[in-house]
Amino acid sequence: MITPHLPVLQVVLPLLAAPVCVLLRNGRLAWLLALVVGWVSLLIAVLLLVRVLDGPPLSYAIGGWAPPWGIEYRIDRLNAFLLVIVATIDAVVLVYARASVEREIDPDRVYLFYAAFLLCFTGLLGIAATGDAFNLFVFLEISSLSSYALIAMGRDRRALTAAYQYLIMGTIGATFILIGVGLAYMVTGTLNMADMADRLVGLTGNRTVRVAFAFLTVGLSLKLALFPLHLWLPNAYAYAPSTVTAFLAATATKVSVYALLRFTFSIFGADVAFEVLPLDLILPPLAILAMFVGSLVAIFQDDVKRMLAYSSVAQIGYIVLGISFASLDGLTAGIVHLFNHALTKGGLFLALGCVFYRLGSVRLEDMRGLGRRMPLAMAAFVAGGLGLIGVPLTAGFVSKWYLVVAALENGWWPVAVLVLASSLLALVYVWRVVEVVYFQPAPRERGEVREAPLSMVLPTWVLIGASVYFGVDTSVTVGVARAAAALLLQVTPGAGP
Amino acid sequence: MSPETTVAAAPLLPLVGAVLIWLAGRRPNLREGVTLVTAGLLFLAVASLLPTVLAGGRPAAVWLELLPGLAIAFRVEPLGMLFALVASLLWIPNSVYSIGYMRAHREEHQTRFYVCFAVALACAVGVAFAANLLTLFLFYEMLTLSTYPLVTHAGTQAAMRSGRLYLGILIGTSIGFFLLAILWTYAAAGTLDFRPEGLLGGVDPGLLPVLLALYVFGIGKAAVMPFHRWLPAAMVAPTPVSALLHAVAVVKAGVFAVLKVVVYVFGLDLMQAAHPGDWLIWLAAFTILAASLVALGKDNLKARLAYSTISQLSYVVLGALLATTAGIVGGGMQILMHAFGKITLFFCAGAIIIATHKENVSEMRGVGRTMPFTMFAFLLGSLSVIGLPPFGGSWSKWYLMLGALDAGRLALVAVLMASSLLNIAYLLPVVVRSYFPGGEAAASPARLAEAPLACVVPALFTGAACLALFLYPDPFYRLLLQLVAP
Amino acid sequence: MIGDALGLYNYWIVIVLMMVGFYVVISRGNLVKKIVGLNIFQTSVFVLYISMGWVEGGTAPILAPGVELYSNPLPHVLILTAIVVGVATTALGLALVVRIREAYGTIEEDEIHRQDEPT
Amino acid sequence: MFSAALVAILVTMALALARALLGPTVYDRILAVNMFGTATVLLIAVLGFFTGRPDFLDIALVYALINFIGTVAVLKFLRYGDLGRAGGKEGEI
Amino acid sequence: MGVVVDLASWALLLVGSAFAVTGGIGVVRLPDFYTRLHGAGVTDTLGAGLILAGLMLQAGFTLVTVKLILILVFVFFTGPTATHALAKAAMGSGLKPLLHPEGRRPSNI
Amino acid sequence: MAHAISLALVLYGLWLLLSGHYEPLLLGFGVLSCALVVAIALRMDVVDKEGHPVHLGWRALAYWPWLLLEIAKSNIDVARRVLHPALPISPTLVRVKASQSSDLGQVIYANSITLTPGTVSIELEDGMIDVHALTGETAAALEAGEMNRRILAMMGEA
Amino acid sequence: MRHHVVLRVVAKLLIPLILLFALYVQFHGDYGPGGGFQAGVIFASAFILYAIIFGLPIARQVARPGVVRALVALGLLLYAGVGVAGLLLGGNYLDYSVLAANPVSGQHLGILLVEFGVGTTVAAVMVAIFFSFAGRGR
Ligand code: NA
Ligand code: NA
C-alpha cells in the first residue's frame, strides 16, 4: 500500500519532521527524530533505487493532478542514485551530529538546528525527486535558506559574514535560475520537465530558449560553486558547524550538479547545450582552472577546514570536466566522482569535526602530533586525503581514471595531463597535514587530548570506509553511474572500455 | 600450499607481520623476533616458487577486480621471481643488522620503523609479482608512502625537508608521467596485463619514444638523471633504511619496473624494431658517468655510496633499453649483484658510524685497524660493485658489455669501462685509507673496536654472498634467459 | 494593446531593474544596502513573471479531470511563491545583518573586513 | 466618472509624493507617505469598482491597516531607535 | 430612483475627489509641518469619506457597502490617531511651529 | 466578563455582516473565530471600558452626526483657505481643558479635535490638550467649548 | 512624551477588530485567491501593533516566543499533514478529493485546512521575525 507513495514520502517525511522538531523543543529528542527520519529516508531511497534499476522510471502525481498539469515527482536511475547519496550522508552525519552539535551549538538552539537541518535535507531530496522545474527552484531555495541559517550557527563570528555572503551570492544564483525557468515556461507553456523537454525539441534555434538555458547554467554554476563563481564556498565551509560543513560539502553542491545535468541533458538536450551554446568550450577551461586554482589556494591554507573547502572547489572542477565531455565515459566519470567525492569529503570534514571537538580548532599549528593522540580520526583523514589525491584503491582513483580515459578518448591529451598534474597539487596539501599530524611533536602547552567519542569516530569511518570500499569494489558505483549517464545521453550503456 | 596460493599470500605475509609487529610494539624482543620470523617465512614462500618458475610455470592469483578488466592481480614470471628473491632474502640480514643498529643508536619510534619496513617489503613483493601495470603502480606508490616514515625517521627539520623532496619527486614523477603512460597504454591497448609479446603493437611508432620516456622518467625510483635528487636526499635516514632503499626494495623496484615495462609492455621485438629508446640510452650513459664523477667528489661516505647507486642503477636501465638478449640478462643480473654489493657497503658504512661516529672518508684513517672485519666486508662489496672477478658484479658487467657489443654500440662499451675505473677510484681509496695509520688510533696501539656483532655479521654474510654469486650464478642466469628465449 | 505595449517594454524594465539591483549588490558598502539591492534584483524577476502572464495569456493549461471548482492560475501562484521565497530571503538576510552588527559593531563591509584581517 | 475620481486620487498621490521628496523635516516626509497611503487605499477601492473586482476592498482595508501600523512603527523607531521598547500599562511609543 | 442614486453617487465622488486634491494642494502649499497636518486632514476626512460614500451608493445594500463602511470607520479612527502621534512626536523632537505674529499665545507654553 | 460577552456579540455581528455566507460551516467558524479573538483580547488585557466602550450606547450615536457636520464645515473652511491665493492663515497654539473624567473621554475629545481639519491635538496630558490651530478663529471656536460639552454629554458626565 | 493615551485607547479598540477581520479573510479565502497568506499577515499585524504600542515584554507575555515557534511548526505540520491524510485515505499526496465522501467537498475541506496551516505559519513567522528584530536596539 505504501510502495506507490515512496517518491513523495521521500520528501514529505523530513518536511513533516522539521516542524515536529520545533514542537519538541528538546535538542536530544529533535536529534533522535532527525536520526530516525534520516535512516528511514535512506531505506526509502534504496528501495526506490532498486525499483528503478529493474524497471522504468517512477512517476508520482502530487494531488492526483496528472502531469503535466500538476507537480510530478519522477524517479529514474540518475536521481534515485542521488537520493541514495544524499540520504546516506544524512543518515551517517546525524549519528555523528549528537556529540558534535552539543559541543558547537548553543544548547537552547539545538532543536532549531535539527529543524533547519531537516529542512535542508528536505530541499535536497526535493530537488532530486521533483519532475517540475519550478518546484525544483522552490526546493533549491528551501535547502539554500536553511543552509544559510545552519552556517550562521557556527561559533566564529565570521560564520555570520560567511552566511551573509553565501546568501547574497546564492540568491543571485537562485534568481538567475528563476529567470531561466520562467523563460522556458514562456516558450513551452509547461513546467513539467519531461513535457518541457518534448516541447523544446525543434526549438534549438529559438533565442529565448538559448537565453533561458544560459541563465539556468549561470545560476546553477553559482550554486554548485564552479570557478570563478565559487567565492561563497570557502568561508561558508570553513566557519559552519562541523556537522553542517560535512553534510553540505558532501551533498549540496552535488545536488546542484545534478540539477545542471538534468537541465543540460534531459530538458534542453545536448544539442542546445553543446552545439547552439558553446558549453564544451566554456566549461572545460573553467573546470581546469577550478582544479588548479582550488588546489593551489588550498596548499597555502593554514586552517584545514578552509583547505578542504578550496579542495572542494577543485573537486567540483573534476566533476564539471567530466560532464563537459558529454560522452558516456565523461558523464560516468562525473557522476561517479560526484558519489565518491561526497563520501570522501564528507568523511574528511567529519574527521576534522572530531579534531574540532577536542581542540576547538583545526588550524595546522594546533594539530601537531595529533596522529598519536587521535589515531582513528587522523587515520581517517589520511585515508580520505589519499582519496582526494586519487591514489589507487581509493574511490578518488576510480573517478579520475574514468576522467582521464574519457579525455584520452576525446583526444584531449593536454586535459589528461592537467588532470594528473592537479592531483599532484592535492598531494601537496594533503601531505602538509599528514606531515604536521604524524611527524611533528605535539606542542607542550596543549593538554592531554583523547580520541573523539565513538559516536563521532564511527560515522567518520563509515564514510571513509565506504569511500575506500567503493575504490576497491567499483561494480556498483560505476555500474549505476554508467546507467545514469546512458539515460542522460539516451544511449545504451554498453560495456566499459 | 599450491603455488597459486603462495602467490596470493606472499604480499600479505609481511602485512600480517606488520600488524603483529605493531601489536608487539611494547616488547622489543618479541617485536624483533616477529620481524625475523616474518622475513624468514617470506623468503621461504618466495623461494618455494622458484622451481615452478624455473620449470616454465607462471603461477597467478587475483586479489580483486578493481574496474571491469582491471584487477589487482599477480603472476610470477622470471624477472619478478628474481626481484622477489633478492628482496626477501636481503630482508633477513637487513633485519638482523637493523636490530643491532637501532639498539646501538637507541633510536626512537622503533616500532614504527619495523612496521613500515615490513609494509615496504610487502609492497616490494607486490611490485615483483604484479600481473599488470595497475597492480605494479599501486604497490609502487604504496612503497613510496611506506618508506616515507623511514626516510624521515629522525624527525628533524633536515629530515622533513629531505622527506618532502623524496615524496615530491617520487610521487610527482609517478603521477605526472608513470600514471599518464599507464593511462595512455590502456587507451591504446585496452588492457594493462603484462604480456611477453608486449601490448603496444597498435601504437604509432612515432609516439613510442614519448611513451617510453614517460615510463623511464615516471619510474622515478630508477633515479635516471635529472630525477635522481631524492636518493642522496634520503641518506638522512638511518643506515638500515639506506640499505632498504639502495639494495633491498626501493631503487630495485624502480629498475625492475623499467625492465618489466620494456620486456612485457613494449616487448623486445618492438624495442628492436622501432628503437624507441635511443636517446634514453645516452641519457642512461650520461647518468652512469656523471653520477660516478659526483661520487668521486663526495667526502661523506653515505653520499658517495648514494651517487654510486644512481650510477649503477642506470646500468640496468641501459641494459633494458638495449633490449638485446645479453642486455636484458645483464640488466637482470645487475639488479641482483648490485643489491648484494651495495647492501654490504651500507652495512659497513653504518657499522663505522656506530663504532666511530665518523661519516667522512677523509676521517677514516686507521679505521681498518680497529674494524678489520668491517673493512674486509667493505672490500668484498667494493670489488663486486666495481665488477672484478671473482665477485658477482663481474657477471652483470660482462653481460652488459656483451649487450652493448651485440647492439654494435662501442661507445657504450667505453662508457662502461670508464665507469668501472671511476668505481675503483671512489671505492677502493676508502679501504686503502682506512689501513693508513692515523686518527686517534695512531697514538695508541691498534685494538679491536668493532660495531656490534649484529652489524658485522650481516655485512660479512652479504660480502661472502657476492663471492658465492660469482660461483653460482646459474639459477639466476637460467631464470633471466627465459625472458629472452621463452 | 496593453499587452503589446507591455510586451515591448517589460523586458527593459526587467533589465534595468536587474542591472540596478545587481550594481547595488556588488558595490561594496553597507550590508543593508546590498539586501535592498538584492530585493530590487529579485523584483525584476517578479516583473518578468507578471508580464509573462500578460503576454502569454492563456498558455498555462487549465485542466482538472473531474473537478471544475478550482482553476489553475499558475503564473499567480508562481509569483506568489517566488515573492514568499524572496521575502524569506530578505528576512533571513536582515536577521544576519542584525547579528553581524551585534558581533562587529558595524554593518559597513570594509570595516568588517578590516576587523577580520589577521593582526 | 470613476476615471475622474481615479485621476484626482492620482494627482493627490503625486502631490503627496512631492511633499515626501521636498521634506524638509522627516516628519513632513512621514506625513506625506501616510497621506500617500490613504490615497492608495482610495485608489484601490475605486479601482476595484472600476474593474469589477470588489474583493479589492479587502486589500484596501489591509493597506489602510498597514499604513497605520507602518506610521506608528516608524515614529517609534525614530524616537527610540527600537520597536520593542517597553511601554508598560501606560501605553508609550 | 436609480438615476437619482447614480447622480448622487457621482456628485459625492466628484466632490470627494475635489477635497482629496485640495488636501494634496494644502500639503504642498502650507508653510510648515504643523499647518500641513491640516491639509492632510482634508484628504483623510472629507476626501476619503465622500469618495467612499459615493462608492457605497453605487454598491447599494451589499457586502461591498459593509466593507466600504468598515474602511471608512477604520480611516476615521486611525487617521487622526496617526496625525496626533505624528504631531506629538514632532513637538517632542523640538520642532517649533510657525505661529502667526498676532496670534494669541496659549497661556503657559 | 460582561465586556467579554459583549465584545463577542459585537464581533459575531460583524462576522455575520462581513460573511454573507450563512451556511453551518462558516457560521461555526464565526463562533470559533470570535471565541479565539475574545480569548486573545483578554490575554492582551484590552477588554475593558476603554477597549470596548459599549457603555456609551445610544449617546454615542447622537454625537456622530454632530461631529460629521463639524468635520464638513471645517473641511470647507480649510479648503477655502488652502485654495485662496493669499493663503489666509494665522497658525496658533492653544491649550484647552478636557473636562472628561476618563482617559477614553479625553481621547475621544482629542481625536475629535484632530478629525476636524483646522485643529490638531498635539499633546494630551493631565486633562489638558495642546492644540495647533490653522487660524486664530478656529482656535477661538474650540476654546468656546461646544465639543467638550457634547463629549461630556456622551460620556454621561454632563 | 511619556504616555500616549490616544494610541493606547485606539489600539485597544482596533486590535480585536483586526484579529476578527484576519479570521474572516482566513475562512473566506477559498472564495478569493489564497486566503491563508493574507489572513496570516493581517493577524500578525495586529500583534505587531500591540507590541509597538504596549512594548515587547508585554507582547512576549501574550505570545510567548516558544508558543509562536510551535505555531510555525504546527501550521507547517497541518499543511503537510493534510497531504499525508490524503495519502492515507488512498489518494496521492495532497490529493484532497479523498478527504470526504464527495470529491468536491473533499477538495473544499482540504483547501480550507491547508489554508489554515498557511495562515498559522505566516502569522507566527511574522510575529517571530518581529520579535527577533525589535528590541535589538540601534
Ligand atoms: Na538563495
Ligand atoms: Na495561500
Side-chain angles (χ1 to χ4, degrees), chain A residues 382-455:
Chain A
V382 172
L386 294 177
L388 286 185
I389 301 166
V391 174
L393 289 185
T394 65
F397 174 76
V398 180
S399 25
K400 279 187 191 160
W401 178 271
Y402 274 102
L403 201 57
V404 174
V405 169
L408 292 177
E409 274 180 357
N410 277 20
W412 294 9
W413 271 101
V415 174
V417 175
L418 289 172
V419 169
L420 294 178
S422 67
S423 304
L424 285 175
L425 298 177
L427 173 71
V428 177
Y429 61 73
V430 169
W431 199 263
R432 277 194 73 200
V433 180
V434 171
E435 199 184 281
V436 165
V437 164
Y438 283 99
F439 301 106
Q440 285 191 9
R444 278 202 201 84
E445 65 273 15
R446 187 170 74 206
E448 197 53 30
V449 175
R450 283 177 301 128
E451 188 69 77
L454 190 66
S455 74

Side-chain angles (χ1 to χ4, degrees), chain A residues 21-22 25-28 30-31 101-102 104-117 148-156 159-160 241, chain C residues 92 95-96 99 102, chain G residues 69 136:
Chain A
C21 268
V22 178
R25 301 188 61 189
N26 173 310
R28 191 55 76 89
W31 167 75
V101 166
E102 266 173 18
E104 292 183 36
I105 307 283
D106 177 12
D108 299 339
R109 287 164 59 186
V110 168
Y111 71 100
L112 290 176
F113 174 90
Y114 286 111
F117 201 89
Y148 309 147
L150 287 170
I151 290 166
M153 289 192 195
R155 266 177 167 186
D156 194 307
L160 295 171
Chain C
L92 186 60
L96 282 173
R99 290 190 46 204
E102 285 171 1
Chain G
R69 234 172 266 152
R136 282 193 181 253

Side-chain angles (χ1 to χ4, degrees), chain A residues 372 386 389-393 397-398 400-402 404-405 408-409 413 416-417 420-421 423-424 427 431 434-436 438-441 471-475 478 496-497, chain B residues 64-68 70 72 109 112 134 137-138 141-142 145 148-149 152 155 157 160 163-164 167-168 171-173 175-176 179-184 186-187 190 192:
Chain A
R372 297 174 156 272
L386 294 177
I389 301 166
V391 174
L393 289 185
F397 174 76
V398 180
K400 279 187 191 160
W401 178 271
Y402 274 102
V404 174
V405 169
L408 292 177
E409 274 180 357
W413 271 101
V417 175
L420 294 178
S423 304
L424 285 175
L427 173 71
W431 199 263
V434 171
E435 199 184 281
V436 165
Y438 283 99
F439 301 106
Q440 285 191 9
V472 174
D473 177 8
T474 61
S475 55
V478 173
Chain B
L64 52 93
E65 177 124 351
L66 203 56
L67 297 172
L70 285 178
I72 305 293
H109 307 307
R112 184 175 82 191
L134 183 70
F137 181 73
L138 174 69
E141 294 292 53
M142 278 169 50
L145 294 177
Y148 172 87
T152 58
Q157 280 302 314
M160 300 309 265
R164 271 180 226 134
L167 264 193
I171 302 264
T173 52
I175 291 181
L179 184 57
L180 183 65
I182 292 173
L183 282 157
W184 184 351
Y186 184 67
L192 291 176

Side-chain angles (χ1 to χ4, degrees), chain B residues 21 27-40 90-108 110-111 113-115 117 153 238-241 243 347 350-351 354 451-459:
Chain B
I21 291 165
R27 297 162 68 187
N29 288 336
L30 180 60
R31 174 184 71 198
E32 283 142 32
V34 172
T35 300
L36 285 173
V37 169
T38 311
L90 287 183
W91 190 21
I92 300 171
N94 202 356
S95 297
V96 176
Y97 183 83
S98 298
I99 295 164
Y101 185 93
M102 298 304 277
R103 290 190 175 188
H105 264 220
R106 295 192 176 80
E107 295 272 355
E108 288 181 4
Q110 290 202 25
T111 304
F113 175 89
Y114 287 108
V115 167
F117 223 103
H153 189 87
T239 306
V241 175
F347 283 168
I354 292 175
L453 215 56
C455 293
V456 180
V457 171

Side-chain angles (χ1 to χ4, degrees), chain A residues 420 424 427, chain B residues 137 140-141 144 165-182 213-230:
Chain A
L420 294 178
L424 285 175
L427 173 71
Chain B
F137 181 73
Y140 180 93
E141 294 292 53
T144 310
L165 193 66
Y166 179 80
L167 264 193
I169 292 180
L170 289 185
I171 302 264
T173 52
S174 67
I175 291 181
F177 303 142
F178 193 15
L179 184 57
L180 183 65
I182 292 173
L214 282 178
Y215 274 116
V216 170
F217 290 129
I219 301 172
K221 291 193 173 86
V224 175
M225 283 181 174
F227 296 109
H228 65 286
R229 291 268 307 123
W230 63 272

Side-chain angles (χ1 to χ4, degrees), chain E residues 22-96:
Chain E
T22 307
I25 294 172
V27 164
V28 173
R29 270 196 87 192
L30 288 163
D32 81 328
F33 166 72
Y34 294 96
T35 51
R36 285 175 203 135
L37 288 172
H38 303 291
V42 173
T43 304
D44 280 356
T45 53
L46 216 50
L50 293 180
I51 289 176
L52 291 175
L55 295 179
M56 285 178 215
L57 284 188
Q58 285 286 321
F61 289 103
T62 59
L63 182 62
V64 171
T65 302
V66 173
K67 287 188 180 173
L68 286 170
I69 292 175
L70 220 59
I71 293 175
L72 188 60
V73 169
F74 192 82
V75 169
F76 265 47
F77 270 95
T78 58
T81 309
T83 306
H84 166 75
L86 198 53
K88 179 169 166 154
M91 196 61 94
S93 81
L95 183 65
K96 290 276 177 285

Side-chain angles (χ1 to χ4, degrees), chain C residues 81-101:
Chain C
T81 312
I83 290 177
V84 170
V85 169
V87 169
T89 310
T90 306
L92 186 60
L94 289 176
L96 282 173
V97 172
V98 167
R99 290 190 46 204
I100 286 174
R101 201 187 61 188

